[in-house]
């Protein structure tokens, strides 16, 4: 699916520079950045969910360790 991504002039310049330094297209660099962001935030959400679910079970032990 195609989409239009509107960047500021500074963002465009930075993307162009990064793509040039890597010998890649601006589109390829942008798509990689989006994938990495989605992967990173998805893992963080998963970990946060597990911690929210599991930490209460160990709250008393953690409190004692902190003393």
């Amino acid at each position: 699916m195609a989409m239009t991504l509107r960047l500021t002039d500074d963002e465009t310049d930075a993307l162009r520079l990064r793509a040039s330094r890597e010998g890649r297209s601006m589109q390829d660099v942008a798509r990689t950045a989006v994938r990495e962001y989605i992967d990173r935030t998805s893992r963080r959400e998963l970990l946060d969910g597990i911690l929210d679910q599991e930490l209460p079970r160990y709250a008393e032990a953690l409190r004692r360790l902190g003393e």
Side-chain angles (χ1 to χ4, degrees):
M1 172 187 201
M3 69 175 283
T4 301
L5 177 63
R6 290 179 179 83
L7 302 173
T8 66
D9 290 341
D10 289 342
E11 291 166 338
T12 300
D13 291 343
L15 180 58
R16 182 176 290 116
L17 180 60
R18 174 57 36 209
S20 175
R21 287 182 175 168
E22 294 181 14
R24 300 165 58 197
S25 69
M26 290 172 54
Q27 177 177 329
D28 190 41
V29 172
R31 289 178 65 215
T32 298
V34 169
R35 280 193 307 273
E36 288 174 357
Y37 171 79
I38 291 169
D39 288 346
R40 185 176 60 251
T41 57
S42 295
R43 281 192 302 270
R44 185 178 307 132
E45 287 172 352
L46 177 62
L47 180 59
D48 287 347
I50 291 169
L51 290 175
D52 288 345
Q53 181 179 340
E54 297 299 325
L55 278 181
R57 181 181 349 180
Y58 302 103
E60 179 60 22
L62 291 170
R63 185 191 63 75
R64 288 181 185 180
L65 285 171
E67 291 178 351

